[in-house]
Every structure is written in C-alpha cells, then in structure tokens.
Amino acid sequence: MIEMTNVYKKYPNGIVAANGIDVAIKQGEFVYVVGPSGAGKSTFIKMMYREERSTSGTIVVNGMNLATLKNKNVPYLRRQIGVVFQDFKLLPRLNVYENVAFALEVIEESPKIIRKKVMDVLELVGLKNKARMFPTELSGGEQQRVSIARSIVNTPKLVIADEPTGNLDPETSWEIMNIFEEINSRGTTIVMATHNREIVNTIRHRVIVVEGGLITRDEYGGDYGYEG
Ligand SMILES: Nc1ncnc2c1ncn2[C@@H]1O[C@H](COP(=O)(O)OP(=O)(O)O)[C@@H](O)[C@H]1O
Ligand SMILES: [Mg+2]
C-alpha cells in the first residue's frame, strides 16, 4: 500500500532529509520507524501523506502517485489516512465528541451516521463517558486517545503516528500501544515513528531504522538496536 522508490528530499535550506529511500509496506503491516533525532523519520512519514513533497523519486500510497497528485486532490488522500502526532493537535474549543466528529462533518456525513461512528470509536479508545469534556480537562493519555479516535473515525486503511507516546509516561504509553495493536489487528496498516526502546523490543513488529536520510536496517520482528 506504500511504495517509495529512490525518494530524495532536499529542504529549501539545503538539508537533505531523504537520500534515496526504497521501501514497500503492505496492507496490514505494523512498522516502527526508529533512529536518532534529525535522522529523517518525520520527513519519511510526512511524505506518505503529502505533508511534505519529495524532491525526486516515486511515492505511491493506496494506488495514488503522490509525485503527480494535484493539490486539489490531497484532501482525498488525507481522508484515507489517519495521522496521530506527539502533541495531539486537538481543537481546544471543541469537546471530545466534536473533535472526533469534525473529521466526518467536513465530508458531509449524515448526523445519525456521524453519531454512531463517533461513539463507536470513542468506545474503542475507552472515552465514551468523556464525550462532553474539553481537551484541557483531560490527561495527556486521554488527549492522545481522542486524537487516535479522530484518526480512525473515517476507517482509514493506514494510520501514521509520529512519536505518539513521546509526551506520555511509560504506563500510559503502554495503554496507547494497546489501542494501536487493536487497530492493527482489525487490518489497518500502522506506521509509527518512535523513540520508545522498551515498546519496540517488547511488542515486536517490523523495524525500519532511518539514519542520515537513509534506511540502514529493515527487519521483521527486529529490535530497537541503536544506542542513544
Ligand atoms: N521544514 C524543514 N525545513 C528545513 N529543514 C528541515 C525541515 N524539517 C526537517 N528538517 C531537517 O531535516 C532533517 C530531518 O528532520 P526530521 O525528518 O524531522 O528528522 P527526525 O524526525 O528523525 O528527527 C533535520 O536535519 C531537520 O533539521
Ligand atoms: Mg521527528
């Protein structure tokens, strides 16, 4: 479902953040992206949902060629991909329910369908009873649950997460990982950048190591490995 061929990315400041990346990720995989800070992990995954454009090379996601995808068609791509960030990025003036419903309202679903879908995903992340609360009234772990609910409410085939446990304590991080495991077990592809060595070494999945804009290791069931 994701295929990158000889992908190169140079930012306007001259920094090369991807220096010839080749990778193929199949539907249903769970992939950790690890490596030191500044290695190019975020750039690698941002190119998958066209937050960043590659300078050269080919990127195909869900059958769409992102190199030639017109800007007006980017929202169509984004609807097929859920994205989860380290800092949650919830809308502070909207309550939990509204934060999750927002993703559906912009595509004009009927109110009845919206209600059903939102309550179903809030149940999955264990927040059905906090639907009317606002982000500031929630713990970090709860905010991340909302952001995960938002990312899957459109039932995307792919969820991309950039250090989703980076702001959370170890126990909360495990709870968040269990939710990603559940989502993956239902067939959704997960691509997750992380610095969490303990999680990577315990819940084994494919590990892609990025260093200096290159994939230096790609191993199914691999360990975190790198020191630092
Ligand atoms: N928008 C940007 N403009 C210029 N340089 C950037 C930008 N984003 C990232 N970089 C640079 O690209 C390199 C890779 O960054 P990034 O992909 O964020 O790495 P990581 O997520 O592994 O920490 C770094 O040197 C970083 O400073
Ligand atoms: Mg990053």
Side-chain angles (χ1 to χ4, degrees):
M1 72 168 337
I2 302 172
E3 264 191 67
M4 292 195 180
T5 312
N6 203 15
V7 170
Y8 179 83
K9 169 70 180 179
K10 188 185 214 172
Y11 282 108
N13 61 4
I15 288 179
V16 175
N19 201 3
I21 289 187
D22 290 298
V23 76
I25 295 171
K26 293 197 186 72
Q27 179 65 44
E29 285 199 65
F30 194 129
V31 181
Y32 294 121
V33 180
V34 310
S37 288
K41 302 182 295 298
S42 292
T43 302
F44 175 52
I45 63 183
K46 280 176 181 170
M47 290 190 295
M48 295 173 186
Y49 61 101
R50 256 283 289 271
E51 177 70 21
E52 290 291 347
R53 264 192 126 112
S54 57
T55 309
S56 63
T58 318
I59 305 175
V60 180
V61 176
N62 278 352
M64 281 173 277
N65 182 343
L66 304 201
T68 55
L69 186 73
K70 294 197 172 75
N71 284 337
K72 70 169 172 104
N73 290 328
V74 168
Y76 178 74
L77 169 78
R78 297 275 172 84
R79 260 177 249 148
Q80 303 178 23
I81 304 175
V83 186
V84 177
F85 303 96
Q86 178 172 1
D87 59 356
F88 324 131
K89 296 202 193 301
L90 299 176
L91 297 166
R93 288 171 197 283
L94 301 186
N95 68 25
V96 167
Y97 181 93
E98 292 161 343
N99 262 283
V100 177
F102 191 71
L104 293 172
E105 276 158 2
V106 295
I107 62 168
E108 295 172 355
E109 285 271 24
S110 79
K112 202 175 155 193
I113 290 175
I114 289 176
R115 174 137 198 104
K116 166 98 176 82
K117 287 187 173 177
V118 173
M119 291 320 281
D120 282 354
V121 289
L122 286 180
E123 179 158 33
L124 173 68
V125 302
L127 281 180
K128 219 175 169 177
N129 57 348
K130 298 204 169 168
R132 302 214 166 271
M133 292 178 73
F134 287 85
T136 49
E137 300 175 299
L138 302 176
S139 69
E142 288 171 335
Q143 289 182 60
Q144 193 59 298
R145 286 166 189 266
V146 178
S147 117
I148 294 170
R150 177 184 59 186
S151 80
I152 58 169
V153 74
N154 265 321
T155 55
K157 294 197 198 93
L158 168 65
V159 171
I160 291 173
D162 198 348
E163 304 196 27
T165 63
N167 284 355
L168 305 175
D169 62 66
E171 197 186 321
T172 307
S173 299
W174 285 108
E175 290 166 10
I176 292 298
M177 282 306 296
N178 287 336
I179 298 172
F180 280 112
E181 286 292 298
E182 174 63 28
I183 294 167
N184 178 240
S185 77
R186 297 176 181 203
T188 306
T189 311
I190 312 264
V191 178
M192 178 185 294
T194 183
H195 281 115
N196 198 315
R197 171 191 303 273
E198 206 190 326
I199 283 172
V200 171
N201 287 345
T202 306
I203 309 177
R204 293 286 178 131
H205 289 297
R206 180 179 179 183
V207 175
I208 291 178
V209 181
V210 176
E211 286 169 293
L214 279 169
I215 294 178
T216 56
R217 178 161 61 98
D218 183 353
E219 193 180 0
Y220 285 86
D223 66 3
Y224 189 89
Y226 128 93
E227 299 297 319

